[in-house]
Each structure stands twice: as C-alpha cells, then as structure tokens.
Amino acid sequence: MTFPWVRKIFFLSGLLLFLFLSKNKMERQYPLPYPHFNALITQFSGLQDPVFISFGFRALAADVAWIQLLQNMGSYGSEAASGKNYPSLKEETLRVTRIDPYFTRAYLFGAATLAWLKATNRPDEAMEILKEGISYNPSYWSFRTVAAGIGYMKTSQLDNMIRMLEDALKDPNCPPTIKSVLANSYKAKKRYADALRIWEAVLQSPQDREYHDRARNEIPLLRESLRHPS
C-alpha cells in the first residue's frame, strides 16, 4: 500500500526534474538576452546593480551606472587637459553595458575615449569593449566602423581612419570624442572648412556640451585659417 505523501513526493520530484530539464533545454535553444549575474561588474557599486535588476529595474540600473561613469570622469575637457588617464574606464564602461548590453552609446563613448584621448591611449582596451558590443549587437554597424578606424590609427593610416570616422559621424549616437578626433584630423590635413563644420555642429548640440568650450576655442582659429591659408 502506497501512502499519499509518498505519491506527492514522487510527483513533486518528477515535476522538479521536468522543470530543470526544460530550463536547460530552453537556455540552450534560446540564450538569455542579458549577461549572467556573474558577469556584472560590482566593484564600483556593491549590490546596487544586482538589486535594481532583481526588482525589474534593469533600464534604470543602466542609466544610473551611466550617470555615475560620467560623474567619475568629471569635466571631460578639463580632465583631458590635466592628463588624467582614467585607469578604470574600461571596467566602468562594461559595468554599464553588462547591465544593458544594448546601450550602444556607452560602448562608443568608452571605446572612443580609450582609443583616441591622448591621456588614455589604450586602443587595445577599446577594441575589447567594441568586441563585446558587437557580440550583443551584430547588426549595429558603427561598432565595426569605429573598430576599423582604431585599426587604421594603430597603423598610422590617417586617410583611411578619416573615412571610417566620417561614417561613424552619421550615427546619431556618435560621441563627441570621435567628432573631435575627426575635426583634428581634418585640421592636420588642412581641410579647415570640414573641421569648422564639425565644431559648429558640436557647439549647437546639447549632448556634446562637454566639448562646447573646445569648440569655442577652435572655431575662430579655423575661420582665421580659412581667411589666411598657409
């Protein structure tokens, strides 16, 4: 004679086994769209990000992490002038993108700053960020364009780099770092009108406000160069 509680135990055990096998099969066939919790970078925020995500606020967690990254960078123009090299920028960028791997602007900002800011000059770390971005956003063409531009920079192919950055400029998420690099490259090639066009656009863009002072300095110099070309 079988006791009712024994049948319940067998039933529950079978149900748990079924759920476990189903979960594994689903994960193999339909990979999760977000990195595993183990991939989150918590050295800067402790449990802040996992708690936000656990309560269903992933987008908010990414926005807060992004704001904190920008705050840590401080005033971009003045920090760049001071020579600060942002030693944890790669990790802080990946903190944002592992919360939300579709936060394309964060990938571009981190990679561009690491690759082209003279004080950082860490293109290999920039490429690591872009590689991870491409793995989650394979159809987002700007990542490959910026990666190609970094590759040409590393091999001193200025004309090819300029072409890559011109394509990147078409992206509405193009960070001001890339715009600055392209304008400086135009200036080096004595394409003053093209450089002026970029700085004027930067000055009119609210999202590029950290570069407004730089634009105000460059615009009169470029206008003078156009009036009196060397």
Side-chain angles (χ1 to χ4, degrees), residues 144-164:
R144 289 182 170 83
T145 299
V146 174
I150 293 171
Y152 286 128
M153 176 199 70
K154 292 175 68 174
T155 55
S156 301
Q157 298 182 54
L158 183 59
D159 289 335
N160 286 329
M161 186 187 79
I162 287 175
R163 282 194 289 272
M164 292 297 100

Side-chain angles (χ1 to χ4, degrees), residues 23-38:
K23 175 178 178 293
N24 285 347
K25 184 177 180 180
M26 289 287 290
E27 288 181 351
R28 287 196 300 270
Q29 292 182 346
Y30 306 101
L32 292 175
Y34 299 107
H36 192 274
F37 266 66
N38 292 340

Side-chain angles (χ1 to χ4, degrees), residues 56 75 77 86-88 115 194 198:
S75 175
Y86 309 109
S88 61
D194 291 328
I198 290 178

Side-chain angles (χ1 to χ4, degrees), residues 134-145:
I134 289 169
S135 70
Y136 282 99
N137 305 270
S139 62
Y140 190 69
W141 59 269
S142 286
F143 289 157
R144 289 182 170 83
T145 299

Side-chain angles (χ1 to χ4, degrees), residues 103-144:
F103 200 143
T104 54
R105 182 172 176 80
Y107 290 111
L108 288 174
F109 176 83
T113 304
L114 283 165
W116 279 296
L117 189 66
K118 289 183 180 180
T120 53
N121 191 28
R122 302 202 297 276
D124 291 337
E125 291 185 18
M127 295 295 270
E128 290 176 32
I129 289 174
L130 292 172
K131 182 180 178 181
E132 190 161 314
I134 289 169
S135 70
Y136 282 99
N137 305 270
S139 62
Y140 190 69
W141 59 269
S142 286
F143 289 157
R144 289 182 170 83

Side-chain angles (χ1 to χ4, degrees), residues 10-52:
F10 276 115
F11 173 76
L12 291 174
S13 299
L15 180 61
L16 290 173
L17 179 61
F18 171 76
L19 292 174
F20 176 77
L21 294 175
S22 298
K23 175 178 178 293
N24 285 347
K25 184 177 180 180
M26 289 287 290
E27 288 181 351
R28 287 196 300 270
Q29 292 182 346
Y30 306 101
L32 292 175
Y34 299 107
H36 192 274
F37 266 66
N38 292 340
L40 294 176
I41 295 176
T42 59
Q43 66 192 78
F44 306 106
S45 60
L47 295 177
Q48 173 185 305
D49 301 338
V51 168
F52 269 114

